[in-house]
Amino acid sequence: MTKELAGRSLDRSMAHAVAWSAAARWIAQILSWASTIIVARILTPYDYGIVGMAGLYLNLAILVSQAGVGDAIIALRDLSDRQIAELNSFSLLMSAVLAGVTCVVAIPIARFFSAPPLVNVLVVSSIIYVFDGFQVVPRALLQRELRFKLLAWIETVKALFQIAVTVGFALLGFRYWSLVFGYIVSSATVSAMTFYYRRHPFAWPRFRRLRREMTFSYQVVLARLAYYAYDNSDFGVAGRVLGEVPLGNYTVAWTISSAPVEKISNLLMGVTPAYFSTLQTNKAELRRYLLRLTELLSFVTIPASIGLAVSAPFLVPVLLGPKWLGVVGPLRLLGLFVAVRSVATILPNLLTAIGDAGFVMWASVASAIVMPITFLIGSRWGTIGIAAGWAIAYPPMMLPFYFRVFRKTEMRIGSYVSAVLPALNASAIMGVIVLITYRLLPASNGPLANLVIIVLVGAFAYVGAVGLFHRERALRLITGIRNTLRARESVALDGAAK
């Protein structure tokens, strides 16, 4: 197969991987919303509170248990079967250690929250780490082999099992244990299926010979922990300095601003590392994929984020009511921040996938130092100041990632700017037109009518700006996506002809 055919085949594979992953996530999300409504009518806030307290620790520990080894297998393409087998055993050992640590810290955590039932919840939930230990390596191998259709099916089955168990035990009166058992069964389901479809032998790890792999895993874990720290430090500062009500306003503003965009970004972030790793020695293809993905993300996420920012004065009263007007200020600034973040998050993933985890680690640690200080200073101006911390400090913190990616892929700054410029131009025009419309709206209109007008004007302004100034770029992008999805037969015929 020629390089051109190989590239087209990989393009098609990524498009199908994103499609399957999107379908699985949306099916799981819809079922999750339905089950949440059912279970919430049976359980009490106390039940959710107990599980939420446990989740603060469990989610962080799961981040440690699942990160590192899987990323090493995806990024380090020269690993032998023996090394993968040793990493498989190491992952299981780490999971067992985390399970033991969880049992030890269960009592102190329960005392900290003044919630005695938390002890048993944490001890029982610790088995999740053991299940995860069996699936880290098989899942990474499935990702490295680009078997995302199978992974999508596994995620769908996981969601079905979790929902069925949670609802069933809730109906039987198991209260918060129904949520716990749902998580445990879903974890066991994923582990069993991934281990069945891509099992790999175990071997006792020889740590001296796994120094490179252990270093890489350690760097990934520390980078994820640093990201977790600075990504949540704004909530910590808001809660500690400003109090419960401002924290509630800020939390809602963050959820509204980030949830729609993160759904799209996270979908690509779950698929792209395996493809970047496949192309890690081909700088031309890495550049092409980075530019194409950045352009695609920017056309969708930048106008959505800026649209949220400029429509916040009408959106918040209609969706949440007048008591949530404190959301408007931080939402406007967070919308601008999310527009930048939506296209920048791909950079750390690319660097990790091509083996540059050390740089990602140190850059993330630096952000974990700078961002909390920024939020603390910004808290003097309330939630708006904390939101401004993201908008002001985050872009400079991402500059090292840009310089590193440009150097590693030999990317020209002009090429990258050209990829995001159409969306930025069109979104800026949309924002100006919406703000002008905002000034011209009659006071007699109700909030809902004004919101509808603002949304329609913004949508038409963005589409019109793209069509007027960037028509060829938009059509080329749409045509490329369509041809990629329809390329199965043509690639096969071309391959046979050559």
Side-chain angles (χ1 to χ4, degrees):
M1 182 179 291
T2 65
K3 289 184 178 180
E4 180 183 357
L5 287 174
R8 290 166 61 186
S9 178
L10 200 62
D11 291 350
R12 186 183 71 252
S13 173
M14 178 180 284
H16 290 168
V18 172
W20 278 107
S21 298
R25 291 195 181 198
W26 278 109
I27 291 173
Q29 188 67 65
I30 292 171
L31 293 175
S32 177
W33 284 333
S35 68
T36 298
I37 294 173
I38 297 172
V39 174
R41 296 177 67 88
I42 302 172
L43 304 184
T44 66
Y46 174 82
D47 298 322
Y48 278 95
I50 289 293
V51 176
M53 291 175 184
L56 291 174
Y57 167 80
L58 294 173
N59 291 336
L60 181 60
I62 288 174
L63 180 68
V64 174
S65 67
Q66 292 188 352
V69 172
D71 295 88
I73 291 174
I74 293 173
L76 306 178
R77 310 290 293 189
D78 59 344
L79 292 173
S80 65
D81 287 341
R82 169 73 188 190
Q83 288 174 310
I84 295 176
E86 292 179 13
L87 290 172
N88 204 8
S89 300
F90 174 74
S91 176
L92 191 57
L93 288 172
M94 283 295 299
S95 299
V97 170
L98 278 172
V101 170
T102 302
C103 294
V104 171
V105 302
I107 293 178
I109 292 176
R111 288 177 178 172
F112 176 81
F113 286 107
S114 299
L118 204 55
V119 176
N120 292 331
V121 170
L122 288 170
V123 171
V124 173
S125 299
S126 64
I127 196 174
I128 292 175
Y129 302 130
V130 179
F131 291 141
D132 286 345
F134 282 100
Q135 64 100 5
V136 168
V137 169
R139 182 178 181 83
L141 290 173
L142 289 174
Q143 289 178 304
R144 194 168 77 167
E145 296 164 2
L146 310 182
R147 298 172 66 182
F148 287 98
K149 180 178 179 179
L150 174 58
L151 289 169
W153 278 110
I154 291 174
E155 288 299 317
T156 304
V157 173
K158 168 193 173 183
L160 291 173
F161 270 84
Q162 181 173 351
I163 291 166
V165 171
T166 302
V167 173
F169 276 96
L171 291 172
L172 292 173
F174 279 79
R175 299 186 61 189
Y176 54 80
W177 285 111
S178 59
L179 299 171
V180 176
F181 293 152
Y183 291 131
I184 292 175
V185 170
S186 66
S187 178
T189 301
V190 171
S191 298
M193 293 185 69
T194 51
F195 190 77
Y196 174 79
Y197 285 108
R198 190 59 177 90
R199 65 176 59 89
H200 197 279
F202 295 87
W204 186 256
R206 298 171 294 181
F207 293 104
R208 290 184 179 179
R209 299 187 182 184
L210 290 176
R211 185 171 301 174
R212 180 190 60 153
E213 292 75 18
M214 293 294 98
T215 300
F216 187 94
S217 299
Y218 157 78
Q219 291 170 342
V220 171
V221 169
L222 188 56
R224 300 278 171 83
L225 289 175
Y227 172 82
Y228 183 89
Y230 79 77
D231 196 49
N232 291 278
S233 60
D234 52 344
F235 297 105
V237 170
R240 177 66 177 171
V241 177
L242 304 180
E244 294 85 350
V245 173
L247 174 60
N249 286 328
Y250 182 82
T251 301
V252 172
W254 176 273
T255 302
I256 294 175
S257 65
S258 61
V261 172
E262 284 191 354
K263 290 290 184 184
I264 301 172
S265 299
N266 291 343
L267 177 63
L268 289 178
M269 296 309 104
V271 170
T272 52
Y275 289 89
F276 287 144
S277 174
T278 302
L279 300 167
Q280 60 184 244
T281 59
N282 190 332
K283 293 183 179 181
E285 283 296 285
L286 280 175
R287 290 196 302 272
R288 185 174 72 87
Y289 270 86
L290 177 59
L291 290 174
R292 175 174 292 187
L293 290 170
T294 299
E295 187 175 36
L296 177 61
L297 273 174
S298 65
F299 264 116
V300 177
T301 60
I302 291 179
S305 302
I306 294 179
L308 278 173
V310 296
S311 64
F314 299 108
L315 181 68
V316 171
V318 171
L319 290 184
L320 306 177
K323 66 180 179 181
W324 289 100
L325 290 178
V327 171
V328 174
L331 178 57
R332 302 184 95 169
L333 289 168
L334 289 173
L336 299 177
F337 150 70
V338 171
V340 177
R341 185 179 191 172
S342 63
V343 295
T345 50
I346 197 171
L347 304 178
N349 286 50
L350 185 149
L351 290 172
T352 302
I354 64 175
D356 199 10
F359 178 85
V360 177
M361 177 191 70
W362 288 115
S364 300
V365 169
S367 296
I369 297 172
V370 172
M371 296 306 298
I373 297 174
T374 303
F375 298 140
L376 189 60
I377 296 173
S379 65
R380 297 176 59 186
W381 294 271
T383 55
I384 293 178
I386 294 177
W390 280 115
I392 295 172
Y394 182 80
M397 296 306 300
M398 291 304 297
L399 285 178
F401 286 103
Y402 277 103
F403 287 128
R404 188 74 167 189
V405 168
F406 290 167
R407 188 170 71 83
K408 287 286 185 179
T409 63
E410 298 179 357
M411 172 86 72
R412 293 184 178 179
I413 296 178
S415 299
Y416 187 87
V417 172
S418 177
V420 298
L421 197 58
L424 286 174
N425 286 343
S427 297
I429 293 171
M430 175 195 71
V432 171
I433 292 176
V434 167
L435 290 176
I436 294 174
T437 305
Y438 170 79
R439 297 289 184 183
L440 298 177
L441 286 174
S444 58
N445 284 355
L448 179 59
N450 286 334
L451 177 62
V452 172
I453 293 172
I454 288 294
V455 170
L456 291 177
V457 168
F460 281 113
Y462 180 72
V463 173
V466 170
L468 183 62
F469 298 106
H470 308 289
R471 178 183 176 85
E472 292 184 4
R473 291 283 293 273
L475 289 177
R476 186 165 65 247
L477 184 64
I478 295 172
T479 302
I481 295 172
R482 184 182 303 162
N483 291 341
T484 297
L485 293 173
R486 295 179 177 177
R488 184 187 302 272
E489 293 82 3
S490 61
V491 170
L493 291 174
D494 288 346
K498 296 183 180 182

